[in-house]
Amino acid sequence: MSALYIMRYVGAAGAGSSTLYIGRQTVVGVDAGGARYFGTYIESRGRILVDMTLLMPRSGVLVTGEQAPAGSKYKLTGDWPVEPADGTIHRAYFDGRAMKVGFERVGFIP
């Protein structure tokens, strides 16, 4: 399961999207605001347990409504199906706060 995904998310103050590579126990991505995602996952019983860091290289506003200074880091976790682009909405936790995420697979990566 190595693929490139669009992850769409909704928070208390708005919505956004990012592009994520998920494969080989690695998660790497970027969003339109320039935030970077780095992390890992463990596959178990048809699920992936994701543990990522969201890095803000420049200041901006998060979907939680908070102002994020340049250089700030946030924890993002999820417990998703091995194929997260299954047409359903999943939960992710942004610094412990629940938000909704949906996935669209762009394509598999060998």
Side-chain angles (χ1 to χ4, degrees):
M1 177 210 89
S2 292
L4 188 64
Y5 293 91
I6 297 170
M7 180 176 73
R8 294 181 176 89
Y9 44 87
V10 177
S17 63
S18 58
T19 303
L20 295 178
Y21 163 79
I22 303 174
R24 298 188 175 116
Q25 289 75 44
T26 300
V27 181
V28 179
V30 63
D31 72 16
R36 305 287 196 251
Y37 298 82
F38 303 96
T40 59
Y41 68 89
I42 297 169
E43 189 174 330
S44 176
R45 298 182 182 171
R47 310 285 296 174
I48 55 174
L49 307 175
V50 180
D51 185 11
M52 291 186 280
T53 298
L54 171 69
L55 170 64
M56 296 291 290
R58 58 180 183 262
S59 63
V61 178
L62 303 170
V63 294
T64 60
E66 297 173 57
Q67 186 68 31
S72 56
K73 294 180 182 180
Y74 303 90
K75 185 173 184 71
L76 182 65
T77 59
D79 177 354
W80 307 323
V82 168
E83 174 48 75
D86 63 358
T88 63
I89 301 299
H90 306 289
R91 284 197 179 247
Y93 294 89
F94 183 83
D95 266 359
R97 292 169 283 181
M99 57 188 260
K100 296 176 182 177
V101 297
F103 293 88
E104 177 184 343
R105 186 179 56 244
V106 176
F108 290 107
I109 297 175

